[in-house]
Amino acid sequence: MALPPNRMLRLFALLTALLLLSACGTQPGGQTQPEPTPGPTETTMPVPQEPTPASGTPTPVLQPYANITREQYEEAIAKWRTAGVQRYRIRLDYGAFSIFGGTWTLTVNSSAGRPVVEEYATDPGGRGAGATPTPADLHNFTVEGLFERVGEIITNSPPGGPTSIPPAGSDLSMYHLVTFDPTLGYPTTVEQHPNTGPEMQIADADVVYRVESLEVLEPAVPGMPITGEPKP
């Protein structure tokens, strides 16, 4: 059944108003539709970053080539020669990557002007136990042999002298620590260590001679030659 024209106009106006309200988000009665609540968002955890290494290669901190001067070396030799010890017993610990590493006790006779090892012994627990050293091996453990080792350190020093710092990357990649007995002058420690810093270690390069005791068995005899004569 057809609607009267005036009712059709009112119905059309009502539909138009509803469409306008819907487009504006307002419900009938003046109420505003609530904004949609956003859903939970995903939380991103920070990724730990590795520390950025410093640019370039670290520069090694070099030690002086030796901790003694030539004058100190010559003064120590003069004390030992003046003491004129003819016979002595030395107990020495040798630390190195060697079959002879360990503690050695030697009885040395220097009355003829050069050291002769009369007898020797090693500690049973040392690496040198059971090894058969040659006379040259035993000579390294005598006072005269230790002086020769120190003399080589002095002779092989950099151009700036024993206490100078060798150039980085040079062949003089070791530093040396030497101490002398204040009375008799003999070397009490002779050490060699890599001079390249902890980040560039050289395997098996450490060598340490450490005198634990020295007993004078026969002092100088009048008319006898001065003992020792280490190589200058």
Side-chain angles (χ1 to χ4, degrees):
M1 180 177 63
L3 296 175
N6 58 346
R7 295 190 64 182
M8 291 183 63
L9 289 173
R10 286 198 299 271
L11 181 60
F12 179 78
L14 180 60
L15 292 174
T16 302
L18 290 174
L19 290 173
L20 290 174
L21 290 173
S22 177
C24 295
T26 304
Q27 295 179 344
Q31 296 182 355
T32 304
Q33 291 182 350
E35 294 291 332
T37 303
T41 58
E42 181 180 356
T43 303
T44 303
M45 298 296 294
V47 178
Q49 300 294 323
E50 294 291 334
T52 303
S55 59
T57 303
T59 302
V61 179
L62 299 180
Q63 302 287 335
Y65 183 72
N67 68 324
I68 60 166
T69 63
R70 179 178 291 275
E71 291 72 22
Q72 290 172 310
Y73 162 66
E74 293 175 349
E75 179 183 351
I77 287 181
K79 284 184 179 180
W80 177 252
R81 290 175 175 170
T82 301
V85 178
Q86 301 296 302
R87 193 164 171 265
Y88 60 89
R89 180 175 295 114
I90 184 172
R91 180 177 173 85
L92 175 143
D93 184 74
Y94 176 53
F97 188 72
S98 167
I99 61 172
F100 300 122
T103 303
W104 294 76
T105 302
L106 286 70
T107 300
V108 184
N109 191 325
S110 297
S111 60
R114 58 183 303 274
V116 176
V117 177
E118 296 178 340
E119 60 182 10
Y120 68 88
T122 61
D123 283 356
R127 283 185 295 169
T132 305
T134 66
D137 295 324
L138 293 174
H139 179 80
N140 294 331
F141 302 148
T142 66
V143 169
E144 292 79 4
L146 294 175
F147 267 124
E148 289 175 13
R149 178 72 187 107
V150 178
E152 292 171 358
I153 294 171
I154 298 297
T155 301
N156 296 330
S157 298
T163 58
S164 64
I165 297 178
S170 70
D171 292 337
L172 301 173
S173 58
M174 300 289 167
Y175 72 92
H176 304 84
L177 303 176
V178 180
T179 59
F180 300 105
D181 181 79
T183 302
L184 297 178
Y186 63 87
T188 52
T189 58
V190 182
E191 302 184 26
Q192 170 185 288
H193 303 287
N195 201 2
T196 51
E199 69 283 349
M200 299 171 60
Q201 288 296 322
I202 301 175
D204 306 326
D206 297 277
V207 177
V208 177
Y209 299 86
R210 182 172 290 109
V211 177
E212 296 185 353
S213 64
L214 187 140
E215 179 186 1
V216 177
L217 302 178
E218 292 182 19
V221 178
M224 296 294 291
I226 296 177
T227 183
E229 297 302 327
K231 295 180 181 179

